[in-house]
Every structure is written in C-alpha cells, then in structure tokens.
Amino acid sequence: MITQITTDIKQAADALRANQVIGIPTETVYGLASNALSPEAVSTIFSVKQRPTSNPLILHFANLEQAESYIKEFHGELKVLYDHFSPGPITFLVPKTASVPNEITSGSSLVAVRFPSHPQFLALLNLIDFPVAAPSANKYGSVSPTRAEEVLAQLNGEIPLILDGGTCHYGLESTIVGMDGDRVIVYRLGSIDLDELSATLGYIPEIKNQAEQSPLAPGMVKYHYATKTPLHYLRKDLKFKENTGYIFIQSIPQGFPSSPCMTLSSTGDLKEVARNLYHTLITMDGCGFNAIYIEKPLDEGLGLTILDRLQRATAKFN
Ligand code: TXA
Ligand code: MG
C-alpha cells in the first residue's frame, strides 16, 4: 500500500466514509482515525497500531450535540469543563448508550469522548455523520507523532492516507476526566494542566492515573511513549559522553557541545517544551546514539504532564 500525504479534507472524508483507517491532525498529537461504527475499520486500527483490544478508543465529535445519542449521562461538572475547554484538548469519560459499539470501549459501560479544536479535523468532522475513533497515531508503546512526516515514518505502507495539518499545537495528548460521585477525577494528565482544571472547578480534582489505581484507563500502562534508544533522566553530576544524546529544557550547560544536545524551549516556557517534546525525542531516537539523557522539568503545571510521560518512557529502561 502507498501512503499518500494530503491537505484535502474532502479526500480524507471520502476515505473515512469508505471505512479506511487514516492519519489525521489534532491539536494534541496525530491520530489514527476511522469510522467508529465500522467494525472492520475499528479492528484495522487495533491491528495497525498493534494495540491490545482490551485498550479502548476515544470517540471524536465536532460538538456535544453530535455526541448526544452516544452519551447516556453528562454530569454538570463535566459540562462546566466542556463549556470552558471544548473544543480543545480534554476528553470526557462518560456512561455510553447502546449506539457505541462494544469494541470501542473494550466492553466498558463508559466511553471516552473528545471535541477537538484543530481546524482541519473539525472541518472533517463536520463533513461526516458518524463518530471518529482515533488513538494516537504511534505504534503501541512508542512516542506519539506531532507532524505528518512522523506518522509516515511509523506507518508508511500500512495506511492509505495522512491528512497533513501541520505541527500539533499542544504536542501532548488530551487530559482525560471522568466522575467519581460528584467530583471530577483526572484519569490522564494532558495538555490542560491541573491548575487550569482546578481554577475552573473551584477544587483540585484527584488524579487516578496509575494502572493499579485505575482499571478504568487501561492505557495508563507503566511503560509507554518510549524511544527505541534507552532514555534516562539527566543527573546533575553527569558528564558529557560520546555517542550520547542530551535534551535540556532551556539551555545547554557548560561542558556539553551543541551538536548532540538539543533544547526544548529557549525561554523555558512549558507550553513550548510540551510542543517540542515528542518531536525532539523522535529526532534524537533517529540519531543512533547509545543512550539519550533528558532534563527533568519542574513538577508544576504542564510540567506534571511532561513528567508523567517521561516517567512512563524512562521506566522501560530502568
Ligand atoms: O489527545 C488525544 O487524546 C489523542 C488524539 C488523537 O485525540 N488520542 C489519544 O488516544 O491519546 P489514545 O488511544 O492514544 O489514548 C487514549 C487513552 C488510552 O489510555 C485509553 O485506555 C483511554 O484513553 N480510554 C479510552 N477509552 C476509554 C474508556 N472507555 N475507559 C477508560 N479509558 C479509556
Ligand atoms: Mg496513545
């Protein structure tokens, strides 16, 4: 199969109508999308991604009205978050109706729904009349792509089409929220940070994002988002070694040459760090180094999401 990259939204809509699985841009990371109501298309997502079918998929809609017949209950607290953050990088875990196929939720009575803000994806969603299932467009366990060429590098020859929507604005996956009684719970830290959620809700929601804490989110596995090259946190006492890549948050310290070293943001702005993180990991991973070392961000705001991803990425090599 030849994988074509296009900017033609109509062509992408036709491919989805024909139950094909295609790469699509979102404001968070690229997705591997199909018609959620087509069992063969959904099963192709799992096989292309090499993802266990026990790990459910997010449904994407243009707005809450489009999603209505798939959702049994949308709690008022979630509505507050919807009104504030959607369309945008937030996913809601809510009770599903019988219209949601069981393969989508891996048998769970809850479905994850998201209303993306990426203009091309939103335009695409408005052209079709079925929900789009889309996990991130990486092979299971690998780093999520944030550019069309990175989708191509991982899935060349396995999907017919990638809709090119440029570089993803946020660069980290959506924040997943659900309810426990009358309180919002965070199941995955994401592009909307805990401070923003807390300011909107008036309280700090509990985070349940560890596999053992949350059988609800089977994707919260211990090892994920990993490079092929062993990835470790940079320690303060570490000296430069040959054949090793170094990723710093803001600036390259003395004693480290500029060439195998990269920085994530010249100003240290965490939004920019997030936007560049996966791209930098993928770039470094392609350099053939023996190891990659990355500086830890502070554990506040978006730094918590970045740490969550790096924790799961480095865990594989500890
Ligand atoms: O930003 C995003 O959310 C991206 C873009 C493409 O929308 N999508 C994404 O999907 O990150 P994925 O499949 O890579 O991660 C979704 C996570 C998985 O950990 C999955 O287990 C969890 O959401 N999830 C999906 N549906 C669920 C459900 N019904 N119950 C519990 N967890 C669910
Ligand atoms: Mg993913």
Side-chain angles (χ1 to χ4, degrees):
M1 187 188 290
I2 307 241
T3 304
Q4 197 195 335
I5 297 191
T6 185
T7 52
D8 184 349
I9 298 167
K10 286 204 188 83
Q11 190 186 353
D14 285 340
L16 290 177
R17 285 189 201 104
N19 295 333
Q20 291 183 323
V21 172
I22 64 170
I24 46 106
T26 90
E27 71 279 23
T28 58
V29 298
Y30 272 74
L32 189 59
S34 84
N35 175 358
L37 305 180
S38 160
E40 352 48 290
V42 169
S43 112
T44 306
I45 291 184
F46 283 101
S47 60
V48 167
K49 199 171 155 74
Q50 296 167 342
R51 174 173 180 151
T53 53
S54 56
N55 195 341
L57 305 177
I58 298 176
L59 294 189
H60 298 73
F61 299 92
N63 51 53
L64 198 51
E65 293 74 60
Q66 261 195 12
E68 232 157 38
S69 62
Y70 302 92
I71 296 174
K72 204 189 238 167
E73 223 178 280
F74 204 81
H75 196 285
E77 291 286 283
L78 297 183
K79 187 70 184 11
V80 169
L81 295 178
Y82 174 87
D83 287 341
H84 203 271
F85 295 111
S86 296
I90 185 162
T91 296
F92 303 92
L93 201 51
V94 294
K96 77 177 197 72
T97 65
S99 303
V100 179
N102 285 325
E103 311 87 81
I104 294 294
T105 65
S106 308
S108 165
S109 61
L110 299 179
V111 63
V113 295
R114 173 160 124 69
F115 311 90
S117 61
H118 190 287
Q120 276 99 314
F121 189 20
L122 205 48
L124 175 60
L125 287 170
N126 276 314
L127 283 183
I128 56 180
D129 56 4
F130 48 81
V132 168
S136 49
N138 52 293
K139 291 277 184 189
Y140 187 64
S142 304
V143 181
S144 307
T146 56
R147 289 148 204 243
E149 314 82 72
E150 292 172 357
V151 180
L152 187 69
Q154 287 204 48
L155 303 177
N156 196 7
E158 297 190 63
I159 53 174
L161 196 69
I162 301 167
L163 179 63
D164 188 349
T167 302
C168 300
H169 177 77
Y170 289 95
L172 294 171
E173 294 80 357
S174 62
T175 301
I176 303 182
V177 294
M179 296 301 298
D180 184 4
D182 283 329
R183 301 279 283 195
V184 170
I185 302 283
V186 176
Y187 289 109
R188 176 173 73 183
L189 290 164
S191 286
I192 290 174
D193 70 36
L194 203 58
D195 298 340
E196 295 173 278
L197 290 178
S198 308
T200 308
L201 290 168
Y203 61 87
I204 302 171
E206 193 186 339
I207 303 170
K208 285 194 181 172
N209 65 346
Q210 303 303 322
E212 52 285 6
Q213 259 180 335
S214 173
L216 262 180
M220 299 297 99
V221 284
K222 210 167 160 196
Y223 312 132
H224 201 12
Y225 314 102
T227 46
K228 294 192 180 68
T229 314
L231 178 73
H232 304 285
Y233 284 128
L234 196 73
R235 293 189 321 269
K236 286 260 177 306
D237 58 334
L238 218 72
K239 298 264 185 313
F240 176 74
K241 282 187 291 198
E242 292 295 332
N243 287 321
T244 307
Y246 295 89
I247 303 173
F248 297 99
I249 302 284
Q250 189 174 350
S251 55
I252 300 171
Q254 283 211 328
F256 287 82
S258 64
S259 133
C261 299
M262 292 176 83
T263 57
L264 295 168
S265 160
S266 58
T267 59
D269 171 35
L270 283 178
K271 283 204 162 88
E272 194 180 5
V273 170
R275 191 177 302 132
N276 290 328
L277 179 68
Y278 289 163
H279 174 65
T280 305
L281 285 173
I282 288 171
T283 306
M284 278 272 178
D285 205 15
C287 291
F289 293 130
N290 295 330
I292 301 166
Y293 286 89
I294 186 162
E295 185 181 355
K296 257 188 183 183
L298 290 179
D299 58 351
E300 55 191 38
L302 259 188
L304 283 175
T305 305
I306 297 166
L307 277 170
D308 172 87
R309 301 303 189 269
L310 291 178
Q311 210 63 43
R312 292 174 213 268
T314 54
K316 193 172 143 191
F317 306 107
N318 287 340

